[in-house]
């Protein structure tokens, strides 16, 4: 066996390997590579362990919920078939860029923590529906189940845990490819004079489809569609206690990101005259919460406020 490394990659080449004497170049079999439980340890993880054990301990000890973060350039594709599968060898920027949802659910179940999940910005209606089914019923590793299964291949989120759901990530940050993608989507809806554009421009005031106003309306509309998909799967009584739909915006309502989004939902879906939609509801029917982003880091322990200080703002000293 020859060991070769290049950068962060580590490869093992088996040259002229034989499975038994007298059978040259027949390859190898029954190989297991087990990661040590921590640096320098001689004890390795069990074959059925998915997540690095020290990371599991940190999540279990320090947090009430965790969000699997992803950059604004890695969440473009919104087709269910493009998502990472538990069987994929690579879980970073290979398909949708988010990692396996099944593995995230397993980590939440193992640590007993709620899960905050951001969908791809271009997630279509099928993605929303199947995502909701996966969280409630689990999956076979590719497709979600449509009802409770006694022995699911991959389990659903434990019934005592919550899922926080957000459509996209920072759809106000013009440096993110996801925000630029939203521009293209809204422009395409305008060019097609679609029903989606008719909803966005219900009052004739959406403006340029590539500007913030139209994009925030479109994002709010997709958030409502996602909320409805989860409601259809989980039921009215679990929206809030278990499923918490979020619509986030830039801190201090910068670029009017809060006003444009919430005002659209309130006006278009909450108009009791039924002028725009027949089944009207207030904003609280679709959203459990909303809020502005605050950023913490090594050089900024306060975010954009001064009441709370994080001693280890960059989380570089987390216990392992």
């Amino acid at each position: 066996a020859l060991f070769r490394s290049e950068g962060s990659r580590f490869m093992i080449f088996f040259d002229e390997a034989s499975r038994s004497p007298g059978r040259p170049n027949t390859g190898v079999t029954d190989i297991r590579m087990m990661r040590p439980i921590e640096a320098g340890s001689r004890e390795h993880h069990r074959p059925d362990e998915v997540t690095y054990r020290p990371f599991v301990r940190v999540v279990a000890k320090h947090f009430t919920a965790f969000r699997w973060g992803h950059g604004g350039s890695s969440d473009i594709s919104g087709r269910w078939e493009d998502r990472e599968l538990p069987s994929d060898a690579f879980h970073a920027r290979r398909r949708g860029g988010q990692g396996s949802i099944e593995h995230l659910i397993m980590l939440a179940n193992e640590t007993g923590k709620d899960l905050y999940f951001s969908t791809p910005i271009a997630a279509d209606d099928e993605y929303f529906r199947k995502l909701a089914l996966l969280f409630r019923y689990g999956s076979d590793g590719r497709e979600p189940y449509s009802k409770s299964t006694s022995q699911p291949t991959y389990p659903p989120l434990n019934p005592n845990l919550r899922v926080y759901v957000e459509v996209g990530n920072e759809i106000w940050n013009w440096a993110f490819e996801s925000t630029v993608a939203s521009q293209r989507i809204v422009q395409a809806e305008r060019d097609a004079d679609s029903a989606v554009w008719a909803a966005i421009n219900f009052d004739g005031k959406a403006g340029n489809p590539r500007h913030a106003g139209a994009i925030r309306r479109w994002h709010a509309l997709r958030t409502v569609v996602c909320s409805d998909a989860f409601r259809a799967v989980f039921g009215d009584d679990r929206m809030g206690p278990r499923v918490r739909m979020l619509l986030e915006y830039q801190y201090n309502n910068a670029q009017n990101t809060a006003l444009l989004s919430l005002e659209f939902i309130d006006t278009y879906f909450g108009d009791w005259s039924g002028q725009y939609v027949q089944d009207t509801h207030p904003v609280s029917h679709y959203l459990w919460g909303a809020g502005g982003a605050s950023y913490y880091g090594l050089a900024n322990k306060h975010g954009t406020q001064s009441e709370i200080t994080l001693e280890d703002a960059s989380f570089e000293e987390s216990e392992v």
Side-chain angles (χ1 to χ4, degrees):
L2 301 178
F3 297 81
R4 304 173 184 172
S5 62
E6 180 181 348
S8 62
R9 295 177 180 270
F10 186 80
M11 301 181 182
I12 302 178
F13 295 82
F14 294 92
D15 297 337
E16 301 181 6
S18 302
R19 298 190 183 193
S20 59
R23 300 179 62 193
N25 298 316
T26 53
V28 295
T29 188
D30 195 26
I31 293 178
R32 291 186 296 177
M33 299 183 64
M34 310 301 296
R35 182 174 184 171
I37 59 172
E38 57 188 30
S41 174
R42 293 182 177 272
E43 182 183 356
H44 60 71
H45 287 71
R46 300 187 313 272
D48 62 345
E49 286 184 279
V50 174
T51 308
Y52 187 45
R53 198 179 297 178
F55 182 74
V56 171
R57 290 203 300 266
V58 168
V59 172
K61 179 177 181 179
H62 295 288
F63 302 97
T64 59
F66 74 91
R67 179 188 185 191
W68 192 258
H70 59 283
S73 61
S74 62
D75 62 348
I76 303 305
S77 176
R79 300 184 305 173
W80 185 254
E81 60 264 32
D82 289 338
R83 74 185 188 92
E84 276 88 346
L85 302 177
S87 57
D88 284 347
F90 297 95
H91 284 195
R93 300 181 185 275
R94 187 179 189 287
R95 294 179 183 237
Q98 291 186 306
S100 164
I101 305 172
E102 285 89 341
H103 286 168
L104 297 180
I105 292 174
M106 290 170 63
L107 176 59
N109 290 344
E110 182 178 0
T111 58
K113 305 301 178 182
D114 297 338
L115 177 59
Y116 183 153
F117 186 82
S118 298
T119 76
I121 185 56
D124 57 21
D125 294 2
E126 179 190 35
Y127 187 103
F128 291 154
R129 180 179 65 85
K130 289 187 174 182
L131 180 67
L133 289 170
L134 174 55
F135 274 110
R136 183 165 188 191
Y137 299 119
S139 87
D140 63 7
R142 182 172 294 274
E143 294 295 328
Y145 300 113
S146 58
K147 60 182 179 179
S148 296
T149 305
S150 59
Q151 292 183 323
T153 303
Y154 290 93
L157 189 68
N158 283 350
N160 64 315
L161 300 179
R162 306 178 184 90
V163 56
Y164 296 82
V165 185
E166 177 187 9
V167 176
N169 173 50
E170 288 198 17
I171 311 305
W172 61 77
N173 189 333
W174 303 102
F176 280 179
E177 186 181 347
S178 54
T179 302
V180 177
S182 70
Q183 288 182 306
R184 296 195 298 266
I185 294 171
V186 178
Q187 182 67 60
E189 299 288 1
R190 171 65 181 86
D191 293 344
D193 198 20
S194 66
V196 171
W197 176 254
I200 294 171
N201 196 38
F202 72 99
D203 56 358
K205 298 179 181 179
N208 189 313
R210 289 183 172 271
H211 290 176
I215 292 173
R216 294 307 299 179
R217 287 186 174 196
W218 171 80
H219 181 252
L221 179 63
R222 295 306 296 162
T223 300
V224 166
V225 173
C226 184
S227 180
D228 283 342
F230 271 81
R231 186 177 296 274
V233 171
F234 279 85
D236 291 330
D237 60 332
R238 294 183 179 89
M239 296 299 291
R242 283 211 65 200
V243 180
R244 296 185 165 180
M245 199 72 208
L246 305 176
L247 195 155
E248 307 292 8
Y249 49 84
Q250 201 168 6
Y251 62 88
N252 199 31
N253 189 38
Q255 302 184 71
N256 280 328
T257 46
L259 178 63
L260 292 170
S261 302
L262 299 175
E263 188 175 58
F264 170 77
I265 297 177
D266 182 52
T267 304
Y268 187 76
F269 292 98
D271 177 52
W272 301 111
S273 68
Q275 180 179 358
Y276 308 118
V277 295
Q278 293 183 341
D279 190 16
T280 57
H281 297 285
V283 174
S284 58
H285 174 83
Y286 302 104
L287 303 179
W288 176 82
S294 292
Y295 301 96
Y296 298 89
L298 187 61
N300 180 14
K301 299 181 179 181
H302 298 87
T304 57
Q305 49 74 48
S306 58
E307 297 298 321
I308 301 174
T309 301
L310 300 182
E311 295 182 1
D312 180 26
S314 61
F315 295 97
E316 294 179 345
E317 300 176 3
S318 297
E319 179 181 329
V320 296

